[in-house]
Amino acid sequence: MPRPASDVQAFEAHATDADLDDLRARLAAARLPEAETVHRAAPDPRRWEQGVPLADLGDVVDYWRTGYNWRSFEERLNRVGQFRTTIDDLGIHFLHRRSARADATPLIVTHGWPGSIVEFIDVVDELADPQDADAPAFHVVVPSLPGFGYSDKPATTGWGTEKIAAAWVELMGRLGYSKFAAHGGDWGGVITTVLGGRFPAHVLGIHTTLAQAPPGLTTDGLTATEREWTEETRDFWRHRAAYAKQQATRPQTIGYSLVDSPVGLLAWILDKFAEWSDTEDSPFETISRDRVLDDVTLYWLTRTGASAARIYYESHNSLDPELRVDVPSAISMYPRDIEKCPRPWAQQRYRQIVRWRSPESGGHFPSLEVPEYFVEDLREGLAAVLAANR
């Protein structure tokens, strides 16, 4: 049953002028290292093999200090509609964009790391009130994960993906949505999987850009492309996942740098936008500098570099190997994402895949990289999910 409306309070984002002045002062006083010893011309991706190149970082730092406008993004958040509620003694922040359509379906959309609600700010309006009257419409709820953005920082352990999924069910119930669809990628994809597997009485179905198969499956019978996917994923976790190991084992240690240094925070996050996007060199080929800086500035102003990192400590490799998802599932594997699961493997966990897509372009942040395609794909996937419920 929905909880009383008093459990949910309206919220507005507003950073103090002092915090913004402090940010600019820290950027002006930043101490940068020498340039990387890898010198190659753009667009050579090997230019980034030691991390964010000094010249690229310097350009973004200068724009962040002199040209970027956080107030514009604050206004955008406030127009969408922001709220907070307390679940299990933790304040949870969320966007809530109700559709004007009577036939709209409730939809919870969950971000990951190093993303945030910023990932979906440009698609919520079109999902809620599509220009095409024949397109499905959704009441869109976009929560900030515990320890991220304007949600509270957990003071104790325990806020892993299983507890977060249960909190999302509670959240949707408080909004009057006893049944709903769910979408997510990255950690949001794991949480969406848990929602579909643990709460089939509430979840109509899911759409995800991250499918994780049960362990121990062999490559026998996979196509050449599917085998390549498994090799790329294995290579990623063996050779390019130091950030995840650090955050899973020592989030407090890296947290000091992420909360104290805006340049350190920017480099830590920008590195992932560059490596995980479907681009030849810079992430700004497909994602605007403003959106990346909206994301980084949200982390900075809320001092959530350490608390967000702890989701790795709580949940790294924690997905129950026995978990199965029997609700209808739509899955999209973007070509430049960091994990790509073959459909035969995915079917061992997701028992009712009603739509499977392998888009031609896009990476880990499709709602930012290819927003128009992302909206179309999400709509079509959820339409297939909803049709399977009839």
Side-chain angles (χ1 to χ4, degrees):
M1 293 291 292
R3 296 296 181 90
S6 60
D7 282 357
V8 176
Q9 297 84 36
F11 175 84
E12 285 199 352
H14 185 75
T16 66
D17 289 339
D19 278 344
L20 296 177
D21 289 343
D22 174 71
L23 169 58
R24 286 187 284 267
R26 287 170 182 260
L27 293 172
R31 297 198 312 173
L32 302 180
E34 68 284 353
E36 63 284 354
T37 55
V38 178
H39 298 291
R40 295 187 172 93
D44 187 339
R46 293 174 298 171
R47 220 169 49 88
W48 291 71
E49 67 184 29
Q50 291 185 13
V52 182
L54 176 63
D56 296 66
L57 188 74
D59 287 344
V60 180
V61 168
D62 183 64
Y63 176 70
W64 197 6
R65 183 174 64 85
T66 63
Y68 170 71
N69 183 0
W70 168 255
R71 295 298 187 202
S72 175
F73 183 68
E74 275 187 338
E75 291 170 4
R76 179 76 184 95
L77 285 177
N78 293 333
R79 286 198 303 272
V80 171
Q82 300 183 89
F83 303 87
R84 274 175 51 98
T85 190
T86 300
I87 301 174
D88 287 343
D89 298 320
L90 193 78
I92 299 296
H93 165 267
F94 59 98
L95 306 179
H96 186 196
R97 177 68 164 82
R98 283 190 60 85
S99 174
R101 291 254 298 267
D103 63 342
T105 301
L107 170 67
I108 190 164
V109 178
T110 310
H111 66 83
W113 184 93
S116 63
I117 55 172
V118 172
E119 291 183 63
F120 304 107
I121 197 68
D122 291 321
V123 301
V124 289
D125 287 341
E126 183 59 22
L127 288 170
D129 292 307
Q131 296 181 16
D132 181 356
D134 293 327
F138 303 94
H139 302 305
V140 186
V141 178
V142 188
S144 296
L145 290 169
F148 286 71
Y150 296 112
S151 284
D152 286 355
K153 304 173 181 70
T156 61
T157 58
W159 277 96
T161 52
E162 293 271 351
K163 186 169 183 175
I164 295 170
W168 281 190
V169 174
E170 173 71 12
L171 170 62
M172 295 299 275
R174 291 186 188 185
L175 299 176
Y177 305 138
S178 61
K179 293 190 176 183
F180 55 90
H183 163 80
D186 193 88
W187 284 113
V190 180
I191 292 162
T192 297
T193 295
V194 176
L195 280 169
R198 299 286 191 223
F199 303 98
H202 296 282
V203 178
L204 298 167
I206 67 171
H207 181 283
T208 183
T209 58
L210 175 74
Q212 292 187 325
L217 302 180
T218 72
T219 58
D220 295 346
L222 298 185
T223 66
T225 297
E226 290 169 340
R227 287 174 181 264
E228 185 176 343
W229 284 8
T230 66
E231 291 167 3
E232 289 174 352
T233 300
R234 187 181 301 113
D235 177 79
F236 171 80
W237 285 113
R238 284 181 176 175
H239 303 296
R240 297 187 292 133
Y243 76 96
K245 296 299 185 184
Q246 175 71 28
Q247 296 189 154
T249 58
R250 291 293 189 271
Q252 188 71 13
T253 299
I254 189 63
Y256 294 112
S257 298
L258 302 180
V259 172
D260 185 63
S261 168
V263 172
L265 176 69
L266 171 64
W268 191 248
I269 290 178
L270 182 59
D271 183 78
K272 302 312 165 200
F273 273 100
E275 185 182 8
W276 300 352
S277 298
D278 188 3
T279 56
E280 293 302 314
D281 180 65
S282 166
F284 306 129
E285 294 166 28
T286 57
I287 305 173
S288 73
R289 283 190 304 182
D290 282 345
R291 280 294 172 261
V292 171
L293 287 175
D294 291 338
D295 185 65
V296 177
T297 308
L298 179 60
Y299 277 85
W300 175 257
L301 292 172
T302 56
R303 304 185 183 190
T304 48
S307 55
R310 290 193 192 103
I311 194 171
Y312 287 80
Y313 178 86
E314 296 287 352
S315 300
H316 200 46
N317 293 328
S318 68
L319 189 61
D320 181 358
E322 303 301 320
L323 182 68
R324 298 295 180 267
V325 178
D326 292 320
V327 299
S329 303
I331 298 173
S332 296
M333 293 285 105
Y334 283 84
R336 287 288 295 276
D337 208 343
I338 57 179
E339 285 191 74
K340 295 189 287 293
C341 180
R343 181 168 184 168
W345 284 13
Q347 287 172 176
Q348 299 303 307
R349 188 186 298 276
Y350 306 86
R351 302 300 186 88
Q352 192 184 168
I353 298 176
V354 296
R355 185 175 182 270
W356 178 278
R357 289 294 182 274
S358 300
E360 294 184 358
S361 62
H364 193 67
F365 309 96
S367 57
L368 294 175
E369 298 176 61
V370 286
E372 292 181 359
Y373 179 86
F374 172 81
V375 168
E376 179 183 1
D377 179 59
L378 181 56
R379 282 176 179 160
E380 292 180 0
L382 291 177
V385 162
L386 297 174
N389 276 279
R390 297 190 188 110

